């Protein structure tokens, strides 16, 4: 399994730098020198078309500029433009996370239940509109529930049981 960490959107300069739109909470970790990333033509592909090794990375105007090991010319890296960068699941590390933090793929698909055991639905999406994430909970026969990820609502995340225990505040349902 692979998880998207960025998209190569263009080249930068003539020395083989690539402009990347990062889609990770850990850009320093994912794009550090020596990191191996898999290349994909699109988000839906399950099989990589190759791998790259990061030689250097730096922040520049909202993008990350990377160079690849063994490439130092714009003509050598043009072929990578438009490709998706993903990290292999075995390269993810829980040490990147603080206590109480989770990767999105760990949360999506969990069942949401109330403290008294009533099943509400399943988390199908995570939105990050601002101060806190919002989980989109698919409910059978009802509209989706937007659940703010705050301590007053989310009481316990139990990955081994595949569920999240919540207390629905007034006005949420």
């Amino acid at each position: 399994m692979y998880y998207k960490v960025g998209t190569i959107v263009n080249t930068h300069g003539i020395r083989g730098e690539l402009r990347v739109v990062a889609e990770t909470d850990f850009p320093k970790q994912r794009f550090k020198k020596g990191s191996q990333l898999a290349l994909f033509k699109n988000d839906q592909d399950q099989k990589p078309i190759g791998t790259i090794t990061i030689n250097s990375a730096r922040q520049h105007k909202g993008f990350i500029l990377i160079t690849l090991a063994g490439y130092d010319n714009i003509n050598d890296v043009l072929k990578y433009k438009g490709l998706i960068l993903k990290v292999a699941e075995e390269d993810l590390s829980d040490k990147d996370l603080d206590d109480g933090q989770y990767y999105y793929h760990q949360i999506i698909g969990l069942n949401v239940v109330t403290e008294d055991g009533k099943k509400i639905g399943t988390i199908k999406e995570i939105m990050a509109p601002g101060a806190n994430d919002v989980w989109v909970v698919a409910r059978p026969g009802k509209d989706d529930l937007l659940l703010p990820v705050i301590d007053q609502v989310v009481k316990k995340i139990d990955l081994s049981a595949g569920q999240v225990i919540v207390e629905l505040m007034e006005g949420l349902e």
Side-chain angles (χ1 to χ4, degrees):
M1 189 76 156
Y2 291 89
Y3 300 99
K4 185 175 181 178
V5 295
T7 303
I8 299 171
V9 292
N10 212 339
T11 57
H12 182 84
I14 61 169
R15 294 199 173 111
E17 281 187 306
L18 292 166
R19 187 177 298 175
V20 175
V21 174
E23 296 180 39
T24 175
D25 287 336
F26 310 103
K28 283 187 171 78
Q29 174 73 16
R30 299 291 168 241
F31 300 106
K32 72 180 179 190
K33 183 179 177 105
S35 289
Q36 295 244 323
L37 297 174
L39 294 165
F40 291 80
K41 284 190 178 180
N42 61 54
D43 283 338
Q44 290 73 37
D45 286 352
Q46 299 298 314
K47 211 171 177 146
I49 58 171
T51 59
I52 58 166
T53 302
I54 304 293
N55 187 52
S56 70
R58 64 185 175 103
Q59 193 76 34
H60 179 73
K61 294 184 180 177
F63 297 96
I64 294 182
L65 300 180
I66 63 170
T67 59
L68 308 180
Y71 297 93
D72 60 2
N73 184 304
I74 186 174
N75 296 320
D76 297 334
V77 297
L78 280 170
K79 63 185 176 188
Y80 296 117
K81 201 165 122 178
L83 295 181
I84 308 292
L85 298 170
K86 295 186 181 184
V87 63
E89 186 167 26
E90 57 267 17
D91 292 335
L92 294 177
S93 170
D94 288 345
K95 71 177 185 245
D96 293 333
L97 302 176
D98 294 331
D99 283 344
Q101 289 187 317
Y102 302 90
Y103 290 113
Y104 280 14
H105 73 269
Q106 292 175 298
I107 298 296
I108 294 173
L110 293 180
N111 293 315
V112 178
V113 297
T114 60
E115 290 178 300
D116 59 7
K118 178 183 165 217
K119 185 172 191 248
I120 296 172
T122 305
I123 299 170
K124 72 172 192 175
E125 182 183 349
I126 299 174
M127 299 187 309
N132 55 273
D133 285 352
V134 175
W135 292 340
V136 180
V137 180
R139 301 184 295 178
K142 293 183 180 178
D143 289 340
D144 291 346
L145 173 67
L146 299 179
L147 203 60
V149 183
I150 55 176
D151 292 341
Q152 298 93 317
V153 175
V154 178
K155 296 303 180 184
K156 182 178 179 189
I157 297 172
D158 189 345
L159 296 179
S160 59
Q163 71 179 14
V164 176
I165 298 169
V166 299
E167 178 184 332
L168 292 180
M169 297 167 56
E170 182 122 4
L172 271 183
E173 201 159 359

